[in-house]
């Protein structure tokens, strides 16, 4: 299991925001900080888990995952991030994410479903060996909401979100960030969006650019396949 190394950038910045020196944490996790600037590099899921866990403990902030999401930038997801920003609709953006999640995180699966007038975005992840699966789950969900707000505007709110973990002690931080109905202790982690919103044309849609980014994503994944003996 591995992740796109430039995704470490937002962790470096958030750790610094808390007044913590990120270098010792990266070294403790066995991660060369220079990799966050290398678009061809990847780090293991175990290393990322160690880094996030220890950074969260040192922050003493139960809203740590939401602070991470607020630092997300398209470049941290490589060509997939820019393809997201230039997609025609949220549905098209999520279809790209669902199809090419291996570019960012090998073990992440994002199935998409339609239910009447709702569009469901599901998060499936192998959580074995993680320090705090709930932290990772809310972090991924927060990043997806942040990505939606980047293309739809800050006013974007899901209809509801479901989490597999139990209701946390810091539930107010969840409601403050997600601004929608929340369910806990569910069988599936998912975000629900009105279908009309998912299919509304986005202001950043650029057919030429998104085609270019799609080709870059496919080439990146092709190169990974070639190197995976």
């Amino acid at each position: 299991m591995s992740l796109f190394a430039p995704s470490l950038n937002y962790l470096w910045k958030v750790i610094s925001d808390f007044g913590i020196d990120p270098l010792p944490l990266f070294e403790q996790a066995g991660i060369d900080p220079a990799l966050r600037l290398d678009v061809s590099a990847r780090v293991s899921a175990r290393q990322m888990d160690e880094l996030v866990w220890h950074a969260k403990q040192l922050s003493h902030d139960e809203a740590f995952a939401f602070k991470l999401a607020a630092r997300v930038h398209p470049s941290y997801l490589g060509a997939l991030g820019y393809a997201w920003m230039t997609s025609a609709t949220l549905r098209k953006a999520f279809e790209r994410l669902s199809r090419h999640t291996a570019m960012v995180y090998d073990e992440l699966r994002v199935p998409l479903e339609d239910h009447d007038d709702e569009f469901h975005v599901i998060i499936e992840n192998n959580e074995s060996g993680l320090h705090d699966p709930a932290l990772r789950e809310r972090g991924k969900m927060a990043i997806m909401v942040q990505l939606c707000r980047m293309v739809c505007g800050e006013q974007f709110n899901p209809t509801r979100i479901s989490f597999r973990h139990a209701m946390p002690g810091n539930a107010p931080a969840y409601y403050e960030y997600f601004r929608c109905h929340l369910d806990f202790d569910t069988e599936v982690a998912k975000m629900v969006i009105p279908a009309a919103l998912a299919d509304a044309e986005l202001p950043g849609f650029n057919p030429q650019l998104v085609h270019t980014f799609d080709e870059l994503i496919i080439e990146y994944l092709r190169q990974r396949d070639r190197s995976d003996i």
Side-chain angles (χ1 to χ4, degrees):
M1 296 186 293
S2 65
L3 299 92
F4 186 57
S7 64
L8 294 165
N9 264 306
Y10 73 97
L11 269 170
W12 183 277
K13 290 182 170 65
V14 171
I15 293 169
S16 299
D17 286 345
F18 280 101
I20 302 168
D21 182 1
L23 181 57
L25 289 178
F26 272 67
E27 291 176 342
Q28 183 178 1
I31 300 173
D32 179 356
L35 293 180
R36 61 194 178 90
L37 304 176
D38 185 350
V39 296
S40 64
R42 298 184 72 84
V43 296
S44 74
R46 180 195 58 78
Q47 289 174 307
M48 175 67 93
D49 182 45
E50 288 289 326
L51 181 58
V52 172
W53 169 253
H54 290 296
K56 193 262 184 183
Q57 300 310 303
L58 289 176
S59 74
H60 303 291
D61 189 336
E62 290 302 316
F64 181 76
F66 308 128
K67 302 287 178 63
L68 284 182
R71 276 290 195 176
V72 167
H73 186 275
S75 64
Y76 303 163
L77 306 180
L80 181 57
Y82 288 111
W84 174 282
M85 296 298 293
T86 52
S87 292
T89 63
L90 269 184
R91 181 187 296 275
K92 291 295 184 184
F94 273 113
E95 285 174 353
R96 285 187 171 87
L97 178 65
S98 178
R99 189 165 56 249
H100 301 307
T101 49
M103 178 171 183
V104 180
Y105 187 15
D106 291 339
E107 291 300 307
L108 180 63
R109 300 290 179 269
V110 186
L112 309 173
E113 297 178 356
D114 281 289
H115 295 272
D116 299 325
D117 59 349
E118 294 180 338
F119 180 60
H120 291 210
V121 179
I122 300 166
I123 294 180
E124 295 179 354
N125 187 204
N126 178 6
E127 298 178 341
S128 61
L130 300 184
H131 282 293
D132 186 348
L135 172 64
R136 297 293 293 275
E137 184 176 272
R138 66 178 176 264
K140 290 182 178 66
M141 197 69 76
I143 287 172
M144 287 192 182
V145 169
Q146 180 70 9
L147 288 170
C148 289
R149 288 174 179 160
M150 289 172 70
V151 292
C152 294
E154 183 58 29
Q155 74 279 3
F156 170 86
N157 296 320
T159 302
R160 66 182 183 278
I161 292 178
S162 301
F163 295 96
R164 286 175 295 178
H165 59 268
M167 180 177 286
N170 64 326
Y174 279 66
Y175 286 100
E176 181 180 353
Y177 184 85
F178 293 112
R179 306 196 302 253
C180 68
H181 177 81
L182 303 177
D183 292 309
F184 298 93
D185 269 327
T186 63
E187 293 185 0
V188 177
K190 66 182 177 181
M191 173 170 60
V192 177
I193 303 169
L197 179 57
D199 292 320
E201 185 169 313
L202 296 172
F205 174 47
N206 187 310
Q208 290 79 25
L209 285 178
V210 77
H211 176 69
T212 299
F213 295 134
D214 281 342
E215 290 183 334
L216 290 172
I217 294 168
I218 292 168
E219 179 59 25
Y220 176 89
L221 293 173
R222 184 182 295 121
Q223 292 295 333
R224 283 206 65 205
D225 287 341
R226 288 174 182 167
S227 64
D228 186 355
I229 61 174

